[in-house]
Amino acid sequence: MQELIKIEGGHRLNGEVTVSGAKNATVALIPAAILANGPVTIVGIPQIADVDNLCQILRLLNVEVTVVGPDHLIIDPTHMTNTDLVAGCVTKLRASYYFMGSLLGKYGHVRMRMPGGCYLGPRPIDLHIKGFEALGAKVRFEKGCYDITADRLVGNKIFLDIASVGATINIMMAAVYAQGRTTIENAAKEPEIIDVATLLNKMGARVRGAGTNVITIDGVNALSGCFHEIIPDRIEAGTFVVIGAACADHLKIRNVIPQHLESLLSKLEEMGVRMEIGVDTIDVYGTENLKGVDIVTKPYPGFATDLQQPLTVLMTQAQGESHVRDTLYPERFKHCQELEKMGAVIEVSGGEAEIKGPTPLGGAEVQASDLRCGAAMVVAGLIANDVTTISNVYHIDRGYSELDLKLKNLGAKIWREMGE
Ligand code: EPU
């Protein structure tokens, strides 16, 4: 038995939705907080399973975690101990690997199990390891565990062969206490990296250049507690913009930084979607006669791989052919198989999908094979005739804060049931 999401499609949505704090910033900010020597208060925490698992890891490390209200966390590492991270919660998400950087940075040693997370094809962490080694650490992998040790960490110049989000953040965290200057070249430029650098700097670190492709970190001796508010989730915001375009009369999306969504918004404009972009809001109007478009996913500020899956659903409603090429994860196309069950006409080969539209979608039994595939299934369910049943919804709960409630408030018919 498992929990299923059911959606009765075909109802027009209307109203306002407020975007939560960014998942991919939060999952790095929580491990980063343990670098401080006093309490760190973070607000805007999304209600997602990844946060619950990270808090469980904090408790294993004897870090005091206080939940204040729905979106407010106080992380106090004053009495923390550097325990081996071998419990099940470590393998439930990918971002547990950020404890590699933060524990190595703070204690010069970390032992932890291989992280988990969505399967999007192979997801190596060789660049993280290369970065730790460049700072002076010795890395061993045996019996499913990483053992990373350094007598002392010394700043170095590190060139990333790929502008990896995870490697950039992990190296930044490992380097904050290192002796001298660390330079990360070809660093990733995602807004979540700036958010982590901002937290570290509030704690007293000296990180410069976050948001550009060269980041420098000058090591410091101590970091203190601070207060931090998480940036809005650009992927959740983008998902709601797609939902608005697909099936709303008028949707107002609040707590957005539209600049973070430029690549999506310009594609939607090309498709013919009507939007009004405010300072921190986006108004979107359901649009008929959409035109097919082509997208190629790239590191930020290119088109986000995390949004190609929800956008594919809108492409099934657009006139003509659309193409999606995912250069980051060429196997991230499981949603296409599921959409075909609902009547979509899609051909996937060689890291690319060709979508022929418009095709009406009909309710079916589909699965959320990863987080953003789950989001795509929700969008599809909202526009399909009849009832769509989504299984493996724990993937959706890992990354979307109160999705059912937010959609219900907009007029969607969505509910949960236990089933096979
Ligand atoms: N890569 C390597 N070696 C490494 C690290 C990455 O070859 O050591 C490759 C990856 O295989 C991939 C590319 O580099 O082809 C980019 O990977 P990156 O490291 O940037 O991704 P990540 O840090 O593992 C984060 C997000 C993902 C998002 C990607 C790309 C978090 C926790 N996850 O993953 O988010 O898709 O960046 O933007 O921040 C999601 O939210 O659904 C999600 C999967």
Side-chain angles (χ1 to χ4, degrees), residues 263 267 293-299 301-305 308 311 315 323-328 351-352:
S263 56
K267 277 295 159 189
V293 289
D294 297 343
I295 58 165
V296 180
T297 71
K298 294 264 173 67
F303 196 95
T305 167
Q308 62 92 346
L311 187 64
M315 289 168 162
H323 295 91
V324 177
R325 188 151 69 84
D326 199 320
T327 65
L328 288 120
E352 186 162 335

Side-chain angles (χ1 to χ4, degrees), residues 283-300:
D283 288 83
V284 53
Y285 302 88
T287 316
E288 307 274 305
N289 305 321
L290 296 169
K291 288 192 281 290
V293 289
D294 297 343
I295 58 165
V296 180
T297 71
K298 294 264 173 67
Y300 188 84

Side-chain angles (χ1 to χ4, degrees), residues 23-24 27 94-95 97-98 118 120 122-128 162-167 190 234 305-306 327-329 332 371-372:
K23 166 199 166 251
N24 287 345
V27 298
R94 180 144 180 94
Y97 65 23
Y98 287 132
C118 288
L120 310 174
R123 296 178 77 182
I125 59 165
D126 55 307
L127 299 171
H128 305 230
I162 302 172
S164 152
V165 175
E190 271 69 2
R234 63 194 166 100
T305 167
D306 297 340
T327 65
L328 288 120
Y329 300 114
R332 199 174 196 175
L371 167 59
R372 309 300 171 186

Side-chain angles (χ1 to χ4, degrees), residues 47-54 93 394 397-399:
Q47 293 185 41
I48 54 175
D50 274 9
V51 166
D52 299 338
N53 279 307
L54 289 169
L93 75 165
Y394 63 90
D397 295 336
R398 281 194 32 232

Side-chain angles (χ1 to χ4, degrees), residues 128-147:
H128 305 230
I129 304 298
K130 190 176 141 188
F132 299 148
E133 285 173 340
L135 297 175
K138 298 244 175 313
V139 183
R140 282 186 302 146
F141 183 70
E142 19 176 66
K143 296 184 192 151
C145 276
Y146 283 95
D147 189 296

Side-chain angles (χ1 to χ4, degrees), residues 173-414:
M173 296 202 291
V176 284
Y177 282 124
Q179 196 186 316
R181 172 169 290 191
T182 300
T183 307
I184 310 174
E185 292 180 349
N186 195 31
K189 297 185 281 201
E190 271 69 2
E192 293 74 21
I193 290 165
I194 304 179
D195 209 28
V196 176
T198 305
L199 174 82
L200 294 172
N201 287 340
K202 284 180 185 170
M203 284 161 42
R206 297 180 60 205
V207 182
R208 300 289 175 264
T212 76
N213 58 5
V214 181
I215 299 178
T216 59
I217 304 113
D218 287 308
V220 294
N221 294 325
L223 295 174
S224 53
C226 67
F227 176 91
H228 185 75
E229 184 170 358
I230 306 167
I231 56 167
D233 195 309
R234 63 194 166 100
I235 308 300
E236 186 196 357
T239 306
F240 275 108
V241 180
V242 170
I243 288 173
C247 60
D249 292 327
H250 173 201
L251 203 65
K252 189 176 208 58
I253 303 161
R254 294 194 179 276
N255 192 34
V256 200
I257 301 178
Q259 201 190 352
H260 290 171
L261 282 168
E262 264 169 12
S263 56
L264 173 73
L265 299 179
S266 71
K267 277 295 159 189
L268 290 175
E269 258 169 37
E270 204 181 315
M271 291 180 86
V273 176
R274 204 155 66 79
M275 293 173 290
E276 283 157 20
I277 315 295
V279 176
D280 60 356
T281 56
I282 298 176
D283 288 83
V284 53
Y285 302 88
T287 316
E288 307 274 305
N289 305 321
L290 296 169
K291 288 192 281 290
V293 289
D294 297 343
I295 58 165
V296 180
T297 71
K298 294 264 173 67
Y300 188 84
F303 196 95
T305 167
D306 297 340
L307 283 171
Q308 62 92 346
Q309 290 160 296
L311 187 64
T312 305
V313 184
L314 197 61
M315 289 168 162
T316 68
Q317 304 306 299
Q319 192 72 45
E321 277 180 15
S322 293
H323 295 91
V324 177
R325 188 151 69 84
D326 199 320
T327 65
L328 288 120
Y329 300 114
E331 293 181 34
R332 199 174 196 175
F333 287 103
K334 295 226 175 71
H335 60 296
C336 294
Q337 251 168 280
E338 303 305 308
L339 288 172
E340 283 184 287
K341 293 181 194 164
M342 300 177 75
V345 178
I346 308 182
E347 208 163 296
V348 179
S349 80
E352 186 162 335
E354 183 178 275
I355 301 108
K356 289 202 173 94
T359 48
L361 299 182
E365 288 186 10
V366 293
Q367 59 164 318
S369 46
D370 57 74
L371 167 59
R372 309 300 171 186
C373 168
M377 293 308 107
V378 170
V379 182
L382 290 170
I383 55 180
N385 296 318
D386 305 325
V387 173
T388 298
T389 302
I390 307 173
S391 59
N392 291 353
V393 300
Y394 63 90
H395 280 300
I396 300 176
D397 295 336
R398 281 194 32 232
Y400 283 89
S401 189
E402 301 186 290
L403 184 62
D404 316 22
L405 181 67
K406 287 177 179 176
L407 288 171
K408 266 185 205 155
N409 288 343
L410 296 172
K413 299 273 177 286
I414 176 169

